[in-house]
Amino acid sequence: MAALAAPPSFCHASHHRASHFSAAAASARSRKATNLRIAAAAALPTAAAAGLPMDAALPPRPVPAGESRRRRCECFDLHRQIVHIADACAWQRSVVAKRRGLKNTCEDRSDTLIALQHSPVYSLGSATRVAEDLLFDVENSPFELYRVDRGGKVTYHGPGQLVVYPILNIRSHKMDHHRYLRSLEEVIIRALKSAFSIKASRVEGLTGVWVGDKKVAAIGIRVVSGMAYHGLALNVTTDLTPFEMIVPCGIKDRGVCSIKEIVQKASDGREIDDTSLVDMAYDSIMEEFTGLFDLSLEFRPQP
């Protein structure tokens, strides 16, 4: 299936901000959004209530003698911007190609994080079965269909969904791809708890993060010669309607949810500022990711 032609690269959302993140900025946003936090975890559909397993937290990896405590990581903060999926995939491939050329040299000392949102698109992973996973005529798709080289099946990306693409040499982090997937899940679980008091979990045999029996974050990766790319998609304020026209990740008996939906339900439906929710999710994901992977972020201007 051929992808549609990509629109001009890096279409900016109307609420664009400078690509900068600091502890002070995060703290200010956190203080401003204090009233958004959920005080009563009992109001949420927890994993325990649903009888789902909750894995033990993964500790940061041990640091070998003589190795720097934190690995450098360049970060491109576009988390309020809308970027076409074709541009994001091309960007990742270019970073991977550069990093593979530097592998095993003294210059290979950094990782990369890219945070952004996508314009509406159905992303088809390598295991997608079109006839079974798409519940519409592909000749009249409600959104663009785009094949990607990650594992997994079909999912939806759109505004309000925080997408984070880590590009890591997982061998340098002493991980195989299974431990890496569990680590990405752990980052999201910790971030949801710290920013929103949401109790999320894993489901045995499935990849992703769940609140009760609904998936709040999808994860899909590709690993080439130890280099991992693609990553995670967290439903923050996402319109969930497009998920009804597919079998998300090939899972027929479970639904999807968003942070906004959970927070509103726990606060009697009061209106919540979407931008604040996305900012809080981004800040928390960055904090938990750098902590679990022992990274020191170095922010770069967008390309």
Side-chain angles (χ1 to χ4, degrees):
M1 182 182 302
L4 302 183
S9 298
F10 303 109
C11 175
H12 299 268
S14 60
H15 48 265
H16 166 67
R17 73 184 178 96
S19 294
H20 177 73
F21 173 88
S22 67
S27 177
R29 288 208 289 262
S30 180
R31 288 194 301 272
K32 180 180 178 181
T34 296
N35 291 332
L36 296 179
R37 293 183 56 83
I38 303 171
L44 298 174
T46 66
L52 301 176
M54 177 72 81
D55 289 9
L58 292 174
R61 68 178 178 87
V63 180
E67 181 177 325
S68 173
R69 174 63 184 171
R70 290 190 176 271
R71 183 176 172 88
R72 186 173 70 248
C73 180
E74 60 177 3
C75 181
F76 296 91
D77 175 13
L78 288 74
H79 83 273
R80 285 193 184 180
Q81 297 186 35
I82 307 296
V83 178
H84 191 272
I85 193 169
D87 296 321
C89 289
W91 187 3
Q92 290 183 83
R93 288 193 297 268
S94 70
V95 174
V96 170
K98 178 181 178 182
R99 289 285 309 284
R100 290 183 70 187
L102 296 174
K103 195 168 64 171
N104 300 324
T105 73
C106 61
E107 297 179 67
D108 180 26
R109 295 177 179 173
S110 67
D111 296 315
T112 301
L113 278 176
I114 302 170
L116 46 77
Q117 299 177 45
H118 283 315
S119 48
V121 62
Y122 287 127
S123 166
L124 281 61
S126 59
T128 301
R129 293 176 292 186
V130 171
E132 298 180 21
D133 298 332
L134 306 184
L135 307 180
F136 53 81
D137 178 3
V138 295
E139 298 300 324
N140 296 288
S141 175
F143 301 105
E144 178 180 2
L145 303 177
Y146 194 86
R147 284 209 176 267
V148 291
D149 57 355
R150 61 163 173 79
K153 296 194 173 186
V154 63
T155 193
Y156 169 75
H157 300 301
Q161 183 186 76
L162 177 62
V163 178
V164 179
Y165 291 127
I167 304 172
L168 308 180
N169 184 338
I170 59 175
R171 293 174 181 170
S172 296
H173 290 274
K174 314 303 181 188
M175 293 181 178
D176 59 18
H177 76 280
H178 293 293
R179 182 173 176 83
Y180 178 56
L181 287 171
R182 303 294 80 78
S183 296
L184 292 180
E185 292 168 345
E186 185 66 23
V187 165
I188 300 167
I189 290 169
R190 293 182 184 183
L192 291 177
K193 182 178 180 180
S194 64
F196 305 103
S197 298
I198 293 175
K199 293 184 178 180
S201 70
R202 303 175 180 85
V203 173
E204 187 174 356
L206 300 176
T207 297
V209 174
W210 308 76
V211 178
D213 62 353
K214 294 184 176 182
K215 180 179 271 191
V216 70
I219 296 173
I221 65 170
R222 177 175 172 80
V223 181
V224 179
S225 300
M227 293 296 303
Y229 60 109
H230 292 292
L232 63 93
L234 174 62
N235 296 328
V236 184
T237 65
T238 324
D239 176 11
L240 302 177
T241 306
F243 287 100
E244 298 173 2
M245 292 176 276
I246 60 174
V247 181
C249 303
I251 303 170
K252 296 181 179 180
D253 59 346
R254 297 177 185 270
V256 295
C257 63
S258 68
I259 293 173
K260 182 176 182 179
E261 179 184 62
I262 297 168
V263 171
Q264 282 188 323
K265 190 175 295 184
S267 59
D268 298 322
R270 70 184 177 86
E271 285 301 313
I272 297 171
D273 180 64
D274 286 6
T275 302
S276 293
L277 283 177
V278 173
D279 284 346
M280 289 174 68
Y282 167 77
D283 291 344
S284 191
I285 287 287
M286 291 295 106
E287 180 177 357
E288 299 300 339
F289 197 98
T290 55
L292 194 147
F293 285 89
D294 289 320
L295 298 175
S296 175
L297 294 186
E298 296 181 0
F299 286 83
R300 302 282 189 259
Q302 68 181 62

